[in-house]
């Protein structure tokens, strides 16, 4: 007979947590804020033999996994840092305002107070709000297990939707990236179903830096909820590079971003809606990153 049975482990250290996850590989998962895990468990339940429970490994009491720091131009965010902490962090507001915007747009005040950036990233939902912002910032992820740590580009963390590429026993400890220079513009624009509790239908994160003559010397465009895997859109970014971003150039880049999205996903029933909608939010994100609010 199979019954729903859960075990709950609360390790005190990363090594303990990682060893436990390895020992129970396939039958244990990390829980941080629980806002994704608990919804999933309620929806799907857990079925397993009575004497072999599915374990939730609560990492919330492990010290050193929370907070935002900045050192030598590098911003580090602990995996357990909540969305509200990130949105309110002066370091993030100054050095990565698009990430502050992304975290401020997550769910409701309760979800932002409980949900963590580590959970948002490791849940690997195509609609996760922090992921496009982190991709546009070229963030890296630090993973730890009993044998040590490894750092990888954030984009290498994702496989299929809702699947991360961490190895058994690995725990995300932080994400980090270079702070944006003061003159660099950025934006996160989200299109949701409703004002509150809206999981993004699609979003766009953009970073634009210009030289003294006003020409674009750095451009990053990262869509959310549009591609099977998080990525930037280099063909659209290339339209901006070395150019003065006037109306024609911005419109062409937004058009190319939408066309690139369709090339990568193929034409689907939703393309008729998604293509022009993504073009519009990309255009808005680009103008916002250029300092023009085109709401
Ligand atoms: C009503 C509602 C509204 C929501 N709205 C939004 C929204 O607008 N935008 C959005 O992006 N998300 C939204 N979410 C999803 C969710 O709140 C976020 O993804 C949140 O950041 C998850 O963080 P958590 O700490 O609760 O993760 P958990 O639920 O604890 O974990 C999520 C997943 O990540 C894994 N995990 C967590 N931390 C680590 C770690 N450090 N190392 C390894 N694996 C880890 C867990 O094993 C699990 O698979 C919403 C959820 C709800 C219930």
């Amino acid at each position: 007979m199979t019954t729903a049975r859960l075990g709950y482990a609360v390790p005190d250290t990363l090594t303990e947590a990682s060893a436990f996850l390895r020992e129970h590989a396939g039958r244990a998962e990390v829980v941080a804020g629980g806002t994704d895990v608990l919804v999933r468990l309620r929806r799907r339940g857990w079925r397993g033999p009575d004497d072999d429970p599915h374990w939730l490994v609560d990492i919330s009491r492990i010290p050193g996994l929370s907070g935002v720091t900045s050192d030598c131009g590098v911003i580090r965010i602990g995996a357990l840092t909540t969305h509200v902490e990130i949105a309110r962090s002066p370091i993030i507001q100054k050095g990565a305002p698009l990430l502050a915007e992304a975290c401020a747009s997550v769910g409701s005040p309760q979800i932002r107070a409980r949900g963590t950036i580590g959970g948002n990233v490791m849940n690997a939902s195509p609609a996760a709000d922090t992921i496009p912002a982190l991709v546009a910032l070229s963030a890296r992820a630090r993973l730890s297990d009993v044998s040590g740590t490894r750092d990888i580009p954030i984009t290498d963390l994702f496989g299929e939707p809702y699947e991360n590429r961490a190895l058994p026993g690995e725990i995300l400890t932080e994400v980090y990236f270079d702070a944006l220079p003061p003159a660099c513009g950025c934006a996160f624009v989200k299109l949701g179903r409703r004002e509150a509790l809206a999981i993004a239908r699609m979003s766009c994160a953009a970073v634009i830096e210009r030289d003294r003559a006003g020409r674009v010397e750095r451009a990053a465009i990262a869509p959310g909820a549009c591609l099977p895997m998080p990525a930037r859109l280099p063909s659209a970014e290339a339209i901006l590079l070395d150019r003065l971003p006037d109306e024609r150039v911005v419109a062409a880049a937004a058009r190319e971003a939408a066309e690139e999205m369709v090339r990568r996903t193929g034409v689907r029933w939703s393309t008729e809606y998604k293509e022009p909608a993504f073009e519009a939010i990309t255009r808005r994100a680009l103008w916002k990153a250029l300092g023009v609010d085109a709401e």
Side-chain angles (χ1 to χ4, degrees):
M1 190 180 100
T2 59
T3 54
R5 187 157 163 242
L6 278 178
Y8 199 77
V10 191
D12 293 320
T13 65
L14 258 184
T15 316
E16 228 181 276
S18 170
F20 192 95
L21 286 164
R22 265 203 192 176
E23 188 188 337
H24 298 272
R27 307 203 58 80
E29 68 180 310
V30 167
V31 60
T35 60
D36 278 318
V37 167
L38 293 183
V39 169
R40 197 161 60 231
L41 282 174
R42 277 190 76 169
R43 196 176 294 149
R44 187 185 71 189
W46 183 259
R47 300 217 154 265
D50 222 5
D51 55 353
D52 193 7
H54 181 77
W55 288 92
L56 294 183
V57 183
D58 182 345
I59 59 167
S60 65
R61 294 197 205 155
I62 298 176
L65 293 184
S66 186
V68 180
T69 57
S70 170
D71 189 29
C72 298
V74 176
I75 296 178
R76 295 179 182 276
I77 308 175
L80 287 179
T81 315
T82 62
H83 295 293
V84 72
E85 287 169 321
I86 297 168
R88 288 183 187 163
S89 158
I91 294 174
I92 301 295
Q93 285 171 3
K94 191 168 163 225
L98 78 167
L99 184 60
E101 285 180 64
C103 288
S105 80
V106 169
S108 62
Q110 294 89 338
I111 295 293
R112 291 193 288 277
R114 183 102 207 135
T116 64
I117 191 162
N120 198 233
V121 167
M122 295 305 271
N123 194 51
S125 159
D129 283 322
T130 65
I131 293 177
L134 290 170
V135 169
L137 288 164
S138 303
R140 295 175 70 82
R142 176 161 290 181
L143 297 157
S144 286
D145 71 4
V146 280
S147 46
T149 63
R150 64 181 177 119
D151 291 12
I152 55 169
I154 194 92
T155 41
D156 288 0
L157 200 48
F158 306 108
E160 295 293 301
Y162 297 98
E163 270 176 31
N164 65 61
R165 287 192 174 148
L167 303 171
E170 278 189 326
I171 294 170
L172 177 74
T173 56
E174 64 178 29
V175 291
Y176 63 93
F177 48 83
D178 290 339
L180 296 175
C184 187
C186 64
F188 174 79
V189 173
K190 169 173 167 175
L191 187 67
R193 279 201 184 100
R194 296 166 279 153
E195 282 301 309
L197 291 180
I199 301 281
R201 256 195 189 168
M202 60 181 82
S203 63
C204 181
V207 171
I208 297 184
E209 191 171 358
R210 288 193 276 177
D211 64 16
R212 287 189 177 184
R215 289 180 192 280
V216 175
E217 55 180 9
R218 168 182 177 182
I221 302 172
C226 288
L227 302 176
M229 281 207 285
R232 282 168 52 182
L233 297 173
S235 61
E237 293 167 5
I239 291 178
L240 295 164
L241 287 173
D242 296 325
R243 297 242 169 78
L244 289 169
D246 59 17
E247 207 138 312
R248 196 181 48 85
V249 169
V250 170
R255 176 94 285 272
E256 174 58 25
E259 285 175 5
E260 176 70 31
M261 187 258 293
V262 176
R263 280 198 295 276
R264 291 203 202 175
T265 58
V267 176
R268 302 170 179 191
W269 63 268
S270 56
T271 303
E272 199 182 339
Y273 154 78
K274 274 199 153 182
E275 191 178 357
F278 182 60
E279 181 178 344
I281 62 166
T282 304
R283 204 167 42 235
R284 201 186 304 163
L286 292 176
W287 280 124
K288 219 170 149 191
L290 289 162
V292 181
D293 209 333
E295 287 276 341

